[in-house]
Amino acid sequence: MTTPGTDAFPTQARAVVIGGGIVGVSVAYHLARRGWTDTVLLERNQLTSGTTWHAAGLVTKLRATYNMTMLAAYAEELFRAVETETGMSTGFRTTGSILVARTEERWAEVQRGMSMARVCGFEVEQIGADEAKRMWPLMDASNIVGAAYLPADGVANPIDTTQAIARAFRNRRGRILEHTPVTDVLTREGRVSGVRTEQGDIACDVVVNCAGMWARELGRKSGVDIPLHAAEHFYLITEPVPGLSSDLPVLRCPDDTAYMREDAGKIMVGFFEPGAKPWGIDGIPDDFAFGRLPEDWDHLAPYIEMAARRLPLLRDVGIKLFFNGPESFTPDDRYILGEAPNLGGYFVAAGFNSVGFQSGGGAGRAVADWIVDGHPPMDLSEVDIRRFMPFQANRRYLRERTTEVLGLLYDMHWPFRQVETARGVRRSPVHDRLIGAGAVFGEVAGWERANWFATIGVEPRYEYSYGRQNWFGCSAEEHRAVREAVGIFDQSSFGKLLVQGRDAEQVLGRICANDVAVAPGRLVYTQWLNERGGIEADVTVTRLDELRFLVVSAAADQVRDRVWLERHIPAGAQCTVTDLTSGLAVINVQGPAARTLLARLSPDDLSNEAFPFGASHEIEVGLARVRASRVTYVGELGWELYIPTEMAAHVYDELMAASDGLGLRHAGYHALNSLRIEKAYRHMGHDITDEDDPLAAGLAFAVAWDKPGGFIGKDALERRREAGLGRRLVTFALDDPEPLLYHSEPIWRDGRLVGKTTSGWYGHTLGRAIGLGYVDAGEPGGATREWLLGATYEIEVATQRVPATPTLRPPYDPRGERIRI
Ligand SMILES: Cc1cc2nc3c(=O)[nH]c(=O)nc-3n(C[C@H](O)[C@H](O)[C@H](O)COP(=O)(O)OP(=O)(O)OC[C@H]3O[C@@H](n4cnc5c(N)ncnc54)[C@H](O)[C@@H]3O)c2cc1C
């Protein structure tokens, strides 16, 4: 047993946290705060010796999304709490920060960020170049288009903060052992059973890998994929600058790829340059502690020059320190939290992409809550380890991607921006044919997916903007073809799981909120709920025969949905899950002419009577046999064709060859998005998450309340039904056809802030932007239809409020007549 207050090496603990950086101490402290005082933290060297000791100490609250902002915003509360608990200083000071924009496009981005800050409840002030210059007199503000001032941001001392949190953990009977590397994680029957160190083993139920840039290699020993890679990360510290005020706000100049702050009478200038330098390619040395990497003036020269244009004083003042230290980066610039998909009790909190000091407090608390409660405390899907595919831990993939990721924090966060490195890993069998048709691809979970098709005269590459991008017109034509003729989508990236066995119906019956005990050949749209009634998955389930079901989910959810299924198969049940994603390509034929097109290639009866909406049958297409499912995510007549991978090119060629006179067009994911938003079809991960239930999401039609055996989450859902809705997803159409919606725009009801959009895009048929978002009445039962619709709404776009019309029905074809023709 762990014996607090003694020096004996512990042989048992409830949880072992590996790594004594800011993240590890935060996880351990929060576990102790939740009553898990029998927690041991093991540190290979000394606390902070990895990356934390040299963090620049910026505590910036506003992040890309609401929940990530909430986690970062918690840092200040934590720092103040441990100061009170321990009497130790974290060095936290509220300095405020200024964010300056040098271009109109950046200014549009900053203004959208200011609107999001309002949703998060932060004070944010729009200031002009003059005011920014008054606050930071040393800066050249002559080319600044606009600036935002965030008074609540601050700085702290990373070493002092980590030590204070560590002390607070020890005060709660937690134990920290330094100079104790974990050499292995022990497992038994698919679960963690302990850790191995040179001093001995410690038996435990839970391990949390907070090993920073060592986390990937440590995970690999246990078969856990943790896709992160280290990169060199730089800042300079000048010689003392006489008269420099210690009250200077942090100055962030993303267009100059630099930030600047006062640091003990000197100026610190940090960089987020494009074309970063991956480090530790052959693994991170075991003995790397409080380590620095060599200076690289050549690499940084252009960025120093840019910073010096902003801060001319840099040309004259000497550089006291050129600091280069490694930090971990992940393929999508988002950190990694949660339980490993393939090893129970193995949690991860790593890969912090240069925001770990400010995010470690909130992330540590979230992971501790997740461990204690058995589920995340909020929607953490954007950082959930289950978003990754195993191949993403491939070292070359990580190395190549890392060159791009470091710079992303200060790069333009363009809507629809696609990664540029390590592309082309997962391709559909018709990939090359789509290139021939002008496809421009985006990437999701490694899949190359056609987002739009360039028409003659349009360059097949993205030209980004916050306004209408170069593909807007091409996508509009694809959209119109699907509404008026027929469009063909390659959706081979769908996750596809075969669930089969004597107990498959029963198992899926418990997991699905809808009734899947249907006749073979029927397809059911359903959510999977957790015990709290929150939505864990949004899938279709097709009954293939008595014993076999096909579950189809979005590409991003392939791992997550498989894990959820596997974990909810009761012991002893005869039910297996097989991932068929790679075995089946999907070509989706949608539009009023879809039947005519398919009928030219298939002798099977595709009439509405023989093949109604929701039916799924094997049919012949050309020389192949495919599964055709009559279903739609665009609101038109259509079939998803599930095709053995090796026959996909043949089926595609047949479709193209048979399309004469039908107005067939290739259509991409951007058109899919504009089509689905006009139908208010929900998007998993945005409009529906584990924080939302089917009642609030307007998906009660997919809940089979009375089916025998019930379903997971039913009790919670019934309680909410009885209490009445406190919030509800509403669809909005902007009255002004010009502005565009993306997500996280504030929703104002009769002049009061009541929510934010969860997704938004332009509806080409409706000729205006459409947004979905939850409207919060503030109390159960308040979100009645009358209350929701009987008010005046505005959506705030880049600080400007735009009148919007609410509806609870799809704005396009509200009665769904077009899908049943
Ligand atoms: C130059 C620079 C400036 C930065 N500035 C900021 C900033 O201003 N604001 C901000 O928010 N972030 C900043 N960051 C990022 C921030 O420093 C990191 O995200 C954060 O420190 C990561 O913390 P961590 O606990 O995950 O990793 P680490 O601090 O590296 O901790 C991991 C620990 O695990 C230990 N360990 C590894 N393997 C084992 C093992 N097998 N057994 C036991 N222990 C093990 C290591 O010794 C290490 O101490 C900056 C980073 C750099 C490089």
Side-chain angles (χ1 to χ4, degrees):
M1 288 290 293
T2 315
T3 347
T6 74
D7 289 339
F9 187 78
T11 54
Q12 197 174 328
R14 199 161 183 195
V16 170
V17 176
I18 307 172
I22 182 75
V23 176
V25 296
S26 174
V27 171
Y29 166 74
H30 286 97
L31 278 172
R33 226 166 72 166
R34 291 292 311 269
W36 281 39
T37 47
D38 189 9
T39 295
V40 174
L41 185 148
L42 301 180
E43 163 54 44
R44 180 190 58 102
N45 190 275
Q46 275 174 255
L47 294 180
T48 76
S49 62
T51 295
T52 298
W53 72 279
H54 56 61
L58 271 52
V59 182
T60 311
K61 295 181 177 168
L62 191 60
R63 307 238 53 84
T65 64
Y66 180 83
N67 281 0
M68 292 305 104
T69 302
M70 290 300 113
L71 292 189
Y74 171 68
E76 180 181 347
E77 186 186 328
L78 171 66
F79 295 176
R80 295 203 188 283
V82 295
E83 285 186 350
T84 309
E85 282 182 37
T86 64
M88 291 168 71
S89 170
T90 61
F92 183 77
R93 289 189 292 134
T94 308
T95 56
S97 78
I98 307 174
L99 180 59
V100 300
R102 179 152 55 85
T103 64
E104 290 294 342
E105 287 288 21
R106 177 72 74 177
W107 183 226
E109 178 175 297
V110 172
Q111 286 179 302
R112 282 182 180 264
M114 288 168 66
S115 288
M116 207 189 82
R118 248 188 280 285
V119 175
C120 301
F122 294 158
E123 227 185 294
V124 51
E125 245 176 78
Q126 179 171 329
I127 57 174
D130 290 351
E131 180 63 4
K133 169 91 178 155
R134 194 192 60 73
M135 294 169 111
W136 243 94
L138 294 172
M139 118 169 105
D140 177 353
S142 58
N143 61 359
I144 287 178
V145 176
Y149 174 57
L150 292 111
D153 283 347
V155 295
N157 181 314
I159 296 180
D160 292 353
T161 303
T162 307
Q163 293 291 357
I165 300 173
R167 170 74 64 81
F169 168 60
R170 287 191 181 105
N171 287 352
R172 290 171 185 266
R173 302 177 55 227
R175 284 197 69 184
I176 295 178
L177 301 181
E178 292 180 300
H179 302 288
T180 311
V182 170
T183 53
D184 213 348
V185 172
L186 309 173
T187 63
R188 196 181 311 126
E189 294 172 6
R191 278 200 67 82
V192 160
S193 61
V195 297
R196 175 146 297 160
T197 75
E198 281 161 13
Q199 289 91 320
D201 292 352
I202 306 177
C204 62
D205 304 326
V206 169
V207 157
V208 195
N209 180 341
C210 304
M213 59 193 164
W214 290 266
R216 189 190 74 232
E217 290 301 319
L218 185 64
R220 218 152 72 107
K221 289 185 178 177
S222 310
V224 173
D225 293 314
I226 305 172
L228 57 82
H229 199 294
E232 302 184 23
H233 195 22
F234 304 93
Y235 57 71
L236 307 176
I237 296 185
T238 64
E239 294 290 353
V241 177
L244 193 69
S245 163
S246 60
D247 290 335
L248 279 180
V250 171
L251 178 61
R252 291 183 288 140
C253 317
D255 297 312
D256 307 321
T257 72
Y259 62 86
M260 290 134 201
R261 60 162 285 204
E262 184 275 342
D263 185 29
K266 310 172 201 86
I267 296 175
M268 173 191 276
V269 185
F271 300 89
F272 286 96
E273 78 283 6
K277 295 174 70 187
W279 182 75
I281 289 162
D282 302 318
I284 309 297
D286 279 343
D287 57 356
F288 190 84
F290 297 108
R292 286 173 55 179
L293 305 176
E295 297 176 354
D296 188 343
W297 290 95
D298 287 348
H299 173 74
L300 217 53
Y303 309 104
I304 296 175
E305 176 53 32
M306 225 184 314
R309 282 202 287 272
R310 178 67 56 218
L311 214 56
L313 170 114
L314 288 179
R315 297 190 206 284
D316 307 321
V317 72
I319 302 298
K320 184 179 167 62
L321 174 71
F322 182 117
F323 189 84
N324 178 6
E327 158 70 336
S328 317
F329 294 87
T330 63
D332 56 5
D333 199 23
R334 293 186 254 133
Y335 46 87
I336 309 175
L337 302 185
E339 191 175 16
N342 54 342
L343 190 55
Y346 194 113
F347 281 79
V348 177
F352 276 85
N353 300 289
S354 73
V355 294
F357 180 58
Q358 63 207 21
S359 309
R365 179 167 74 165
V367 168
D369 288 345
W370 195 332
I371 291 167
V372 174
D373 298 329
H375 59 81
M378 56 168 79
D379 169 33
L380 293 176
S381 49
E382 61 194 295
V383 288
D384 193 316
I385 190 168
R386 291 171 295 174
R387 73 191 186 277
F388 287 121
M389 295 295 300
F391 87 86
Q392 288 175 290
N394 173 301
R395 280 167 282 183
R396 182 175 144 203
Y397 172 85
L398 288 170
R399 195 165 61 240
E400 290 182 12
R401 180 61 57 79
T402 299
T403 60
E404 180 179 5
V405 172
L406 184 146
L408 290 183
L409 194 68
Y410 277 18
D411 200 354
M412 287 295 297
H413 301 102
W414 297 117
F416 309 105
R417 185 194 184 283
Q418 302 299 325
V419 286
E420 287 163 9
T421 50
R423 291 288 299 265
V425 190
R426 301 173 86 189
R427 301 180 209 189
S428 103
V430 296
H431 181 84
D432 290 346
R433 284 165 168 77
L434 299 184
I435 291 177
V440 180
F441 294 89
E443 188 244 33
V444 171
W447 278 103
E448 293 295 327
R449 312 198 310 176
N451 278 347
W452 58 282
F453 291 83
T455 48
I456 292 164
V458 178
E459 274 279 297
R461 60 176 181 83
Y462 277 96
E463 287 168 23
Y464 298 118
S465 126
Y466 274 91
R468 284 157 175 73
Q469 301 186 3
N470 63 324
W471 50 267
F472 190 84
C474 299
S475 193
E477 287 180 34
E478 296 163 26
H479 179 115
R480 260 189 297 281
V482 174
R483 289 271 180 260
E484 294 165 14
V486 59
I488 175 173
F489 298 85
D490 172 18
Q491 292 188 262
S492 301
S493 62
F494 272 150
K496 305 150 208 123
L497 302 171
L498 179 68
V499 183
Q500 61 183 334
R502 192 189 57 213
D503 301 320
E505 179 186 305
Q506 212 184 346
V507 169
L508 280 172
R510 280 292 298 162
I511 293 173
C512 298
N514 210 341
D515 189 1
V516 294
V518 291
R522 295 294 304 170
L523 174 149
V524 178
Y525 171 58
T526 185
Q527 282 71 47
W528 297 350
L529 310 184
N530 55 40
E531 294 290 353
R532 305 171 309 288
I535 298 172
E536 291 286 342
D538 181 64
V539 300
T540 60
V541 177
T542 303
R543 183 159 210 164
L544 305 179
D545 55 36
E546 275 307 302
L547 302 182
R548 296 185 311 137
F549 295 81
L550 180 67
V551 173
V552 174
S553 38
D557 298 326
Q558 183 185 344
V559 173
R560 184 186 168 110
D561 290 356
R562 179 178 53 72
V563 174
W564 186 264
L565 256 176
E566 287 171 347
R567 293 209 169 142
H568 287 86
I569 298 177
Q574 201 195 81
C575 177
T576 61
V577 181
T578 311
D579 193 331
L580 295 186
T581 303
S582 303
L584 291 172
V586 179
I587 293 177
N588 192 358
V589 184
Q590 295 282 329
R595 181 178 285 122
T596 311
L597 173 60
L598 280 177
R600 288 180 182 174
L601 293 168
S602 179
D604 294 290
D605 188 350
L606 300 171
S607 67
N608 205 30
E609 296 69 38
F611 212 137
F613 185 74
S616 174
H617 302 302
E618 288 199 344
I619 63 169
E620 294 170 17
V621 176
L623 301 173
R625 184 195 280 237
V626 309
R627 170 162 295 278
S629 295
R630 186 150 167 215
V631 62
T632 187
Y633 193 54
V634 300
E636 302 292 341
L637 169 72
W639 282 265
E640 288 174 358
L641 305 180
Y642 290 81
I643 312 163
T645 296
E646 72 278 20
M647 297 184 203
H650 165 73
V651 171
Y652 171 92
D653 291 345
E654 290 284 316
L655 286 165
M656 299 316 290
S659 65
D660 267 7
L662 295 182
L664 174 90
R665 285 191 85 116
H666 289 88
Y669 276 82
H670 291 333
L672 194 77
N673 192 23
S674 60
L675 290 156
R676 74 95 196 169
I677 208 149
E678 288 185 336
K679 285 290 293 178
Y681 288 143
R682 279 61 170 149
H683 186 266
M684 182 69 198
H686 286 105
D687 311 315
I688 46 180
T689 69
D690 58 7
E691 290 178 12
D692 312 308
D693 64 61
L695 303 174
L699 295 172
F701 68 88
V703 177
W705 295 98
D706 301 324
K707 68 175 174 171
F711 54 88
I712 299 169
K714 183 178 171 192
D715 293 348
L717 212 54
E718 274 176 346
R719 283 196 295 278
R720 291 205 194 162
R721 187 169 59 166
E722 276 156 29
L725 286 187
R727 61 197 278 271
R728 171 69 155 84
L729 194 70
V730 176
T731 305
F732 297 95
L734 291 190
D735 293 353
D736 179 348
E738 192 54 30
L740 295 178
L741 295 175
Y742 299 110
H743 63 82
S744 302
E745 290 94 0
I747 302 172
W748 297 88
R749 180 188 180 277
D750 288 342
R752 204 170 67 80
L753 186 62
V754 287
K756 62 178 180 352
T757 56
T758 47
S759 71
W761 184 226
Y762 191 82
H764 294 286
T765 309
L766 300 170
R768 59 200 60 247
I770 312 292
L772 271 57
Y774 287 88
V775 174
D776 198 336
E779 55 177 359
T784 61
R785 186 183 170 76
E786 294 66 40
W787 184 85
L788 289 165
L789 299 182
T792 306
Y793 283 93
E794 293 157 306
I795 309 285
E796 184 178 321
V797 183
T799 73
Q800 303 298 313
R801 294 195 204 170
V802 183
T805 305
T807 167
L808 296 178
R809 308 187 70 188
Y812 172 78
D813 188 23
R815 297 162 69 91
E817 285 159 348
R818 295 181 64 86
I819 64 177
R820 294 191 155 77
I821 52 175

